[in-house]
Amino acid sequence: MAERSFSKEVQSLRLGAGEVFHGEGILAVTKALLQSGVAYVGGYQGAPISHLVDVLVDSQDLLDQLGVHLETCTNEAAAAALLGASINYPIRGCVTWKSIVGTNVAADALSNLASPGVIGGALIVIGEDYGEGASIIQERAHAYALKSSLWLMDPRPNLATMVDCVEKAFELSEATNTPVMLELRIRACHVTGSFVAKDNVAPAISRNRLLAEPAPHNYDRISHPPSTYIHEKLKHEVRLPAAQRFIVEHGLNELLPGERQDLGIIVQGGLANVALRGLDRIGLGDLFGRVQIPTLVLNVTHPLVPDQIVEFCAGRRAVLVIEEGQPDYIEQQVAAILRKRDLQTRLYGKDVLPMAGEYTAEVVTDGLLKFFAQTANDIDLSGPRERLEAARAHRSKALQLLGGPLPLRPPGFCVGCPERPVFGAIKLVEREYGKIHISSDIGCHSFATLAPFHLGNSILGYGMSLAAAGAVAPVMQRRTISVMGDGGFWHNGLLSGVSSAMFNRADRVLIIMQNGYTSATGAQYLPSSTANRRDQQRTSDIAATLRAMGVGWLRTIRTYDVGEMMRTLRDAMTTKFAGLKVIVADGECQLARQRRIRPEIAAALKRGERVVRTRYGVDDEICTGDHSCIRLSGCPSLTIAPSPDPLRTDPVAHVNNGCVGCGLCGEIADAAVLCPSFYRAEIVQNANAWDRMLFRLRQWVIARLQGRNADSGTAPALQPAE
Ligand code: SF4
Ligand code: SF4
């Protein structure tokens, strides 16, 4: 039930040697895993690598044929621990997650994996969700590579390089007994291109080729003292030099030669295309890698190879390091290498490029211009500078004409989202009790922190909202409310939140949004989904789990019933019951629901069956135009329209065609005692004789009430849909 089905694209995973693969980067990475003889794969979804897991789920038949085990993990720690198979057995494995948050969750297992090291190739594909498109905190996984001695690859975003890096990553891992992280930015995941495929390789040890015996006990492979003291020495004395040798011998970093011998550029592989774009704009290169300034593309950003850096920098007056994000790990290392080898090459980096923020083509072009301005008088920069200034002037002119910056468009809940009514109910309850401390979480429900709800005081991580209220609740006169999704509950909230709160006899309120999927990452299944990827069986039940843990105050409420939700919230906020109070807010993700029912409706219509759809509307003659309904709902379908009354200038509320008929409008208007302007309409398709007769009868009654003839030709208010 993922957001996007790859069932067609996965056919390209079956391509054999010599055939040409065309498609997206993330699909190419998946093909590279199969070409590398991977024996097990797993992960936790999240942008920008959700599709890697989704593609694998859609490839189950192929995985079964090859004997590859696929594990859809409930969090990144579980995914990282999966790599433990490669500690004792010569089998290749790959796991994936969204970084930096996923790497944080996986950190414990990663440390314990990196310490003993691996004998089978272990690869971690991380989606570095960095920059203005990112939905998370801005940090770099590079820190983990440095502290845990993991190797970090950052391939140039073209398919051939990415595939090559995946294959080489397994070899590097085995040659150095070290897990390798491969970082993909969002553009790399979705870049399209082609490469010449190889045959898939069935692993020598797999689900289809079982081991007769477990590995012999070897304490050296346990991450406990005194083994850890040996591991620490191995990391530095054996694995690091082996990795540096491998990087050079296999040409993992690319040198783009250029005629200027006095200048150079060192760039992270993932940013190489942006750097080429900048050089192209300045007239010093093109998009295909032909450059006038020699450029060292680091497809491996950790470890650096000091000899390679020295060889590249020696004899050059100045070198620019293009490295996105902070701190400037690579620049600092290059500076240290140059200093230790007593090279006088002047180093530029974060002094001409910004320390923080995404390195877009404009940002990098600007940095390149500053670098050349300080280092190369002979390059005429007037043209590119003018073009950059002209582009900026054009943008500010457009802003001027628009009368200032465009209004922000914060993300919000989908039309008909089942989570919206809960926040409407909280807002209404706040009118009675005053403001409540809301501890928010990761997931769609975090949209409530934005307009029009503005509900949420903090977000501490996925599944952490209940724990995050731990020290707030005891100092608060009013009870706190923690909101967490079912995804967050299974990911971490069950133990870090509920178990800890029970253990500490916490007097807090928890709302669990049970929408049935990890919706924010593309609607993947959860342990409590009504189905899972293999069959239509629910594996776990949230309410039953909570009861088994001893939660004594537990209510399951249909989210769209705003009145009942308000009564339950009042009860939770005021009950004498002093322990944890949990409300399971039940309502299927509307996006997933629409995706599920649309084909069913289309099929029913095709068969000529009667189909009834519900829509809501606003009677524009009754609407007072105060828009309280919009402030309490925030549904994108509930918008405004000019008032039909010439004496009223305020626009009226209006429900547009996007309405899915969830019913919240009516519920909220009723619960908040708003004007009675909402009406509910049923759209009947393939109407039967009874529907038609009823319709005519209604038209007749309406016409009588209006004092006209039902057949007078006046357009009826509601036509039966065919
Ligand atoms: S994806 Fe589902 S849960 Fe998320 S905002 Fe949309 S309808 Fe709501
Ligand atoms: S009924 Fe109201 S809240 Fe629900 S989808 Fe329609 S406009 Fe939106």
Side-chain angles (χ1 to χ4, degrees), residues 412-419 444 447 515 519-520 588-592:
F413 297 102
C414 301
V415 172
C417 173
E419 303 186 350
C444 293
F447 296 148
N515 69 22
S519 301
E588 186 183 4
C589 165
Q590 188 66 234
L591 199 61

Side-chain angles (χ1 to χ4, degrees), residues 378-636:
D378 55 321
I379 300 176
D380 181 9
L381 301 173
S382 54
R385 221 180 248 142
E386 270 168 34
R387 283 195 292 278
L388 192 65
E389 288 312 319
R392 286 175 175 165
H394 192 68
R395 205 160 44 220
S396 38
K397 182 79 199 278
L399 280 180
Q400 244 176 27
L401 292 173
L402 287 165
L406 290 173
L408 295 175
R409 291 181 60 206
F413 297 102
C414 301
V415 172
C417 173
E419 303 186 350
R420 181 182 286 113
V422 180
F423 294 104
I426 294 176
K427 276 191 101 167
L428 291 172
V429 167
E430 278 192 334
R431 286 182 182 177
E432 301 165 17
Y433 297 106
K435 290 298 290 175
I436 298 168
H437 177 95
I438 308 284
S439 184
S440 307
D441 214 291
I442 304 288
C444 293
H445 43 88
S446 65
F447 296 148
T449 58
L450 299 160
F453 298 107
H454 300 297
L455 289 174
N457 294 79
S458 63
I459 294 181
L460 266 289
Y462 198 23
M464 302 301 284
S465 60
L466 186 57
V472 180
V475 298
M476 204 50 75
Q477 284 184 2
R478 225 165 279 135
R479 282 184 179 136
T480 57
I481 295 181
S482 299
V483 182
M484 140 190 338
D486 41 9
F489 175 78
W490 293 117
H491 179 273
N492 204 349
L494 169 66
L495 291 179
S496 301
V498 176
S499 179
S500 179
M502 296 292 293
F503 190 44
N504 286 285
R505 307 274 189 273
D507 184 0
R508 283 174 250 160
V509 179
L510 169 66
I511 299 175
I512 300 175
M513 300 287 192
Q514 182 171 262
N515 69 22
Y517 312 88
T518 51
S519 301
T521 53
Q524 290 83 9
Y525 289 129
L526 295 164
S528 51
S529 299
T530 47
N532 68 32
R533 69 184 166 89
R534 287 191 177 272
D535 53 40
Q536 299 297 310
Q537 302 267 321
R538 187 196 294 269
T539 45
S540 307
D541 180 88
I542 292 178
T545 305
L546 292 169
R547 269 194 293 275
M549 292 175 80
V551 173
W553 194 106
L554 177 64
R555 310 274 187 278
T556 300
I557 309 292
R558 188 179 161 271
T559 60
Y560 294 107
D561 191 341
V562 176
E564 184 60 19
M565 186 60 75
M566 285 176 66
R567 281 189 287 282
T568 310
L569 281 169
R570 279 190 206 109
D571 193 12
M573 294 300 287
T574 56
T575 176
K576 290 203 166 47
F577 182 87
L580 178 65
K581 291 151 279 286
V582 185
I583 302 171
V584 178
D586 188 41
E588 186 183 4
C589 165
Q590 188 66 234
L591 199 61
R593 181 172 183 273
Q594 292 299 321
R595 221 177 273 133
R596 183 170 59 74
I597 64 173
R598 256 190 215 130
E600 291 169 18
I601 291 176
L605 287 174
K606 212 168 164 190
R607 290 193 300 270
E609 290 171 15
R610 177 177 182 270
V611 172
V612 182
R613 283 186 295 132
T614 308
R615 284 274 309 277
Y616 278 72
V618 173
D619 187 334
D620 50 16
E621 291 187 356
I622 298 176
C623 176
T624 59
D626 86 329
H627 307 145
S628 296
C629 53
I630 293 177
R631 286 190 289 276
L632 282 168
S633 153
C635 176

